[in-house]
Amino acid sequence: MPLTASNEIAIGTRAPAFQLADSGGRKHGLEDFAGSKALLVAFLSNRCPYVVHIREAFAAYACEYAAKGVRVVAINSNDAAAYPEESAEALGKEAKQFGYDFPYLKDGSQDVAKAYGAACTPDLYLFDGDLKLFYHGQFDDSRPSNGIAVTGADLRAATDRILAGQGSPAEQKNAIGCNIKWLSGSEPAWFGAKVAAE
């Protein structure tokens, strides 16, 4: 299957503001996460095999690091009209089934995905306590077909560096996965330009 790689985003970029609702209609904004030691903004999907492959380990990461002062927020920006399994209602079911103990928000307009430069799912943005980008890369080396165990090693290592007061990782491997399912006619300039090899 054709894969999409995450865009290059400059380390130190400030997290764009957002105001999005979860499946219950409750609004969440970037300001709600102020004061945390780190914030992970994750663009996810309910159907992409690359997210399905890591979702349980991702939920475990979020639970483990929440105890260390790290917050997580997930955003689904896929076109729900074309893909009903990506609807706001479906997000609530996904979160409950897989133990997502963090807000899972619907970006129906896709404006937030565009503001972040998100290209694929999963697309992971780890910000430091000042909400400046510290890590933008893969969860780990595991893929649905390569037989490597899912550990979250890359994201965990980056998060540990924040908590230890160290600098950003020198190497940050691009995330790869399914492209965000853009609304017809409103695809961003980078759509289709970041094809990746598995």
Side-chain angles (χ1 to χ4, degrees):
M1 85 177 60
L3 301 175
T4 298
S6 55
N7 286 318
E8 300 294 336
I9 309 292
I11 296 303
T13 298
R14 185 168 178 80
F18 60 82
Q19 190 73 222
L20 297 171
D22 59 25
S23 62
R26 180 185 172 193
K27 291 286 185 71
H28 302 260
L30 182 66
E31 64 278 3
D32 297 333
F33 302 95
S36 57
K37 292 181 179 178
L39 170 65
L40 179 70
V41 178
F43 289 85
L44 301 183
S45 163
N46 292 346
R47 61 187 295 277
C48 170
Y50 288 78
V51 177
V52 170
H53 182 64
I54 69 166
R55 60 189 172 192
E56 292 176 347
F58 184 82
Y61 160 89
C63 182
E64 178 182 336
Y65 281 89
K68 302 177 182 181
V70 178
R71 303 287 301 279
V72 173
V73 60
I75 298 173
N76 183 304
S77 299
N78 283 335
D79 178 1
Y83 302 92
E85 60 268 56
E86 306 283 24
S87 69
E89 180 182 4
L91 302 193
K93 294 177 181 177
E94 183 85 354
K96 184 176 181 179
Q97 182 175 355
F98 295 100
Y100 287 0
D101 192 22
F102 47 81
Y104 190 14
L105 313 179
K106 187 64 190 177
D107 175 27
S109 70
Q110 304 184 328
D111 289 342
V112 176
K114 290 176 181 177
Y116 276 76
C120 58
T121 55
D123 207 343
L124 309 175
Y125 297 74
L126 181 64
F127 296 93
D128 64 19
D130 295 323
L131 296 178
K132 292 182 179 179
L133 187 63
F134 186 89
Y135 175 78
H136 179 224
Q138 65 177 10
F139 191 58
D140 58 27
D141 286 326
S142 184
R143 306 288 183 262
S145 59
N146 70 6
I148 297 174
V150 181
T151 63
D154 292 66
L155 179 59
R156 287 173 175 273
T159 309
D160 289 341
R161 290 182 69 88
I162 286 185
L163 296 176
Q166 300 173 345
S168 294
E171 182 182 18
Q172 305 199 12
K173 298 179 184 177
N174 289 69
I176 63 169
C178 310
N179 65 281
I180 288 177
K181 305 307 185 228
W182 302 103
L183 298 166
S184 180
S186 67
E187 299 87 352
W190 60 81
F191 174 64
K194 296 282 289 182
V195 177
E198 186 170 5

